[in-house]
């Protein structure tokens, strides 16, 4: 079962949360005293929300997409493929039950909000509607946004919400992970009154997410079999727009973290790339507008690069991608990817930008193409690594610091281990391992 956090559900917990809001009025800070009865995860979330400048007095969430943008975006989103299961297991039983079912994307924007019609009308007052942004960075603590920030199932009751306008509501949310890559695709949420945070509600959402992930995997296998039976051929320009488009089961991705040979996934087909091709796609995926031959060569080759050598590599790369999916072949003048490609390094940076360092740490499997010497890749690797370390040191719990310390790049990181020691309880058995590590590092430095 998912590692989850449930609300106390008791009146004492609500009183503690209301007391906490008194501190919010005067400016919530890390130095705010512990409030008996206020869950640690709520306190941590409020601190993240305050640091991201979310306003507890906002009356409504902002609309991130208008109707036309929303319709196009959710048709293209991989979660569209699992909505029939969500409808059958959650939406249909929720009619006239005083519950709303929401499905959001990986950055906390609600794509679907269904359920009890009367409750939907009431929820419109706080903009709990499709197209609204319910990320932690925007509205503060809520089940959808905080579940994405923590990367696990969570329940938020009444006054535990950061925004006071949401105190009459409670909610349960569970992140939805890609069944193949493990990347976060979105979040499934139940919102309502007390029933929305009952223990069985959490189990119900977890079971629904598990069923939807299993069904998505089955549909992908069926699609892969169907694609394998068809000859690869160049399709029309209009057809090319459908790669990763309406009805897609996939988010086209590039896995760069902790590996020297990237994995490229397009519409359900995956190929391991050579080291040089990994570098090229890493650079193109971070420059969606494209790069000239000279620009790409400068980012790819240490010293003075050769555009002739680059062109030869691009010919070979196009042949590899052509076999994977004809419509994903990089174009030239400038060199550019014709499909949206999500690198896992980009997901980490996106999580850090919205304060979700735990989710970033969960995605992070190691440095970007760790042995690459391409200047552009080295710059990307240092950027991702430095921002992650800074976020963990600044906002991380002892658990996050210990997890970060296990990474190869943190083997000799004294600062991370000292920070973890400061946060661990005096009698924690984990302290011995950290002290041993610090002694080892000190001995190696003296040698």
């Amino acid at each position: 079962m998912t590692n989850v956090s449930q609300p106390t559900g008791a009146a004492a917990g609500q009183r503690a949360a209301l007391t906490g809001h008194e501190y919010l009025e005067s400016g919530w800070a890390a130095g705010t005293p512990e409030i008996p009865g206020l869950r640690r995860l709520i306190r941590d979330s409020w601190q993240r929300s305050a640091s991201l400048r979310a306003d507890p007095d906002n009356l409504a969430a902002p609309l991130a997409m208008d109707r036309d943008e929303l319709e196009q975006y959710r048709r293209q989103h991989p979660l569209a493929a699992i909505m029939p299961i969500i409808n059958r297991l959650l939406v249909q039983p929720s009619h006239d039950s005083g519950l709303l079912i929401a499905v959001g994307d990986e950055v906390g924007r609600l794509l679907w909000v269904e359920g009890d019609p009367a409750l939907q009308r009431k929820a419109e007052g706080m903009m709990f509607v499709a197209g609204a942004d319910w990320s932690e960075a925007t509205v503060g603590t809520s089940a959808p946004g905080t579940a994405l920030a923590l990367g696990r199932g969570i329940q938020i009751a009444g006054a535990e919400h950061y925004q006071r306008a949401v105190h009459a509501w409670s909610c349960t949310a569970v992140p939805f992970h890609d069944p193949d890559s493990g990347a976060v695709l979105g979040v499934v949420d139940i919102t309502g009154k007390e029933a929305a945070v009952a223990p069985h509600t959490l189990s119900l959402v977890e079971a629904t997410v598990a069923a939807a992930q299993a069904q998505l995997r089955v549909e992908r296998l069926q699609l892969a079999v169907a694609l394998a039976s068809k000859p690869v051929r160049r399709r029309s320009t209009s057809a090319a727009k459908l790669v990763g488009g309406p009805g897609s089961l996939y988010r086209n991705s590039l896995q760069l973290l902790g590996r020297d040979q990237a994995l490229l996934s397009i519409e359900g087909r995956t190929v391991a790339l050579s080291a040089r091709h990994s570098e090229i796609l890493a650079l193109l995926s971070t420059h969606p507008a494209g790069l000239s031959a000279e620009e790409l060569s400068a980012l790819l080759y240490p010293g003075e690069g050769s555009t002739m050598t680059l062109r030869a590599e691009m010919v070979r790369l196009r042949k590899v991608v052509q076999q994977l999916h004809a419509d994903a072949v990089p174009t030239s003048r400038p060199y550019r990817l014709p499909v949206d490609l999500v690198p896992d390094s980009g997901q980490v940076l996106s999580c850090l930008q919205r304060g979700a360092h735990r989710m970033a740490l969960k995605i992070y499997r190691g440095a970007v193409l760790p042995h690459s010497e391409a200047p552009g890749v080295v710059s990307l690797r240092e950027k991702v690594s430095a921002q992650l370390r800074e976020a963990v040191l600044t906002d991380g719990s002892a658990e996050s610091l210990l997890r970060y310390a296990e990474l190869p790049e943190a083997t000799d990181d004294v600062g991370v281990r000292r920070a973890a020691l400061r946060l661990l309880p005096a009698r924690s058995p984990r302290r011995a391992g950290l002290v041993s590590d610090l002694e080892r590092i000190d001995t190696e430095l003296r040698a």
Side-chain angles (χ1 to χ4, degrees):
M1 177 173 289
T2 306
N3 180 18
V4 298
S5 294
Q6 299 176 354
T8 61
Q14 291 299 294
R15 288 195 296 271
L18 290 171
T19 299
H21 274 275
E22 295 176 6
Y23 288 102
L24 282 178
E25 292 178 0
S26 58
W28 188 266
T32 301
E34 294 285 345
I35 299 170
L38 183 67
R39 293 188 290 159
R40 178 61 185 268
L41 72 91
I42 299 299
R43 176 188 170 87
D44 290 347
S45 177
W46 284 5
Q47 288 178 348
R48 289 193 302 273
S49 303
S51 68
L52 293 166
R53 299 187 177 179
D55 185 353
D57 292 314
N58 273 351
L59 297 178
L63 198 64
M65 292 178 278
D66 62 28
R67 183 179 295 275
D68 291 339
E69 291 173 324
L70 173 64
E71 287 298 329
Q72 180 180 6
Y73 180 67
R74 64 184 181 184
R75 280 199 306 268
Q76 296 173 346
H77 200 279
L79 290 184
I82 57 93
M83 282 308 295
I85 289 183
I86 302 295
N87 277 311
R88 185 170 69 252
L89 297 181
L90 293 181
V91 175
Q92 292 176 15
S94 70
H95 281 282
D96 303 320
S97 68
L99 294 172
L100 295 178
I101 311 303
V103 177
D105 69 5
E106 66 272 25
V107 295
R109 295 172 296 191
L110 302 184
L111 304 185
W112 292 271
V113 179
E114 309 287 348
D116 188 303
L119 205 62
Q120 277 189 281
R121 290 191 291 272
K122 291 181 181 179
E124 289 174 358
M126 60 178 181
M127 286 299 290
F128 194 79
V129 298
D133 182 355
W134 277 77
S135 64
E136 203 175 58
T138 301
V139 302
T141 307
S142 74
T146 304
L148 288 171
L150 298 181
R152 55 190 172 95
I154 195 169
Q155 296 185 298
I156 304 294
E160 291 181 328
H161 287 94
Y162 188 75
Q163 282 192 345
R164 296 182 178 90
V166 192
H167 284 186
W169 302 78
S170 295
C171 46
T172 294
V174 175
F176 189 102
H177 294 267
D178 186 292
D180 296 316
S181 69
V184 178
L185 293 180
V187 64
V188 178
D189 169 88
I190 287 184
T191 288
K193 304 300 180 180
E194 291 80 5
V197 288
H200 73 267
T201 304
L202 181 58
S203 300
L204 176 62
V205 181
E206 286 183 323
T208 300
V209 167
Q213 288 172 334
Q215 181 61 30
L216 187 56
R217 175 169 284 166
V218 169
E219 292 184 13
R220 287 180 174 181
L221 290 172
Q222 293 172 340
L223 177 61
V225 171
L227 289 173
S229 66
K230 296 180 180 180
V232 175
R233 57 187 178 87
R234 170 68 65 179
R235 293 188 293 178
S236 65
T237 302
S238 61
K241 295 178 181 178
L242 297 179
V243 178
S248 173
L249 302 177
Y250 294 88
R251 181 61 55 88
N252 299 329
S253 65
L254 184 66
Q255 296 181 44
L256 303 167
L257 296 172
R259 57 174 66 245
D260 291 312
Q261 292 184 283
L263 290 181
L264 172 64
S265 297
I266 303 288
E267 285 294 286
R269 292 181 173 180
T270 300
V271 64
L273 302 170
S274 70
R276 184 64 77 194
H277 291 169
S278 300
E279 293 169 337
I280 292 173
L281 286 186
L283 295 169
L284 292 181
S285 68
T286 56
H287 293 83
L291 294 165
S292 68
E294 291 75 16
E295 290 170 333
L296 182 54
S297 180
L299 293 172
L300 189 61
Y301 300 109
E304 294 187 9
S306 165
T307 56
M308 292 296 293
T309 303
L310 172 62
R311 289 189 178 98
E313 285 290 355
M314 290 302 298
V315 169
R316 289 189 283 269
L317 175 59
R318 286 191 179 102
K319 290 180 180 178
V320 172
V321 179
Q322 169 79 25
Q323 294 177 1
L324 190 66
H325 204 297
D327 299 321
V329 174
T331 61
S332 57
R333 298 182 183 179
Y335 290 123
R336 188 178 65 84
L337 294 172
V339 298
D340 290 332
L341 191 62
V342 180
D344 49 5
S345 57
Q347 275 201 315
V348 169
L349 291 174
S350 177
C351 288
L352 294 176
Q353 187 176 16
R354 63 179 193 267
H357 70 271
R358 292 189 187 183
M359 178 64 74
L361 192 56
K362 191 169 185 177
I363 297 171
Y364 192 79
R365 297 183 178 90
V368 175
L369 302 177
H371 294 100
S372 170
E373 297 180 357
V377 173
V378 171
S379 178
L380 175 62
R381 181 167 64 230
E382 292 175 348
K383 176 182 179 181
V384 177
S385 179
Q387 288 192 17
L388 179 63
R389 182 180 186 275
E390 180 64 24
V392 171
L393 278 173
T394 303
D395 301 316
S397 62
E399 179 184 349
S400 295
L401 288 161
L402 289 169
R403 182 167 181 171
Y404 181 85
E406 294 175 356
L407 293 171
E409 64 200 73
T411 300
D412 298 322
D413 198 319
V414 172
V416 166
R417 285 166 173 78
R418 286 178 175 170
L421 279 174
R422 287 195 294 270
L423 293 177
L424 282 172
R427 296 186 178 182
S428 171
R430 293 182 171 185
R431 296 180 65 88
L434 291 172
V435 172
S436 176
D437 280 351
L438 289 171
E439 291 174 348
R440 170 186 58 78
I441 296 170
D442 183 62
T443 300
E444 291 173 354
L445 290 174
R446 293 173 181 274

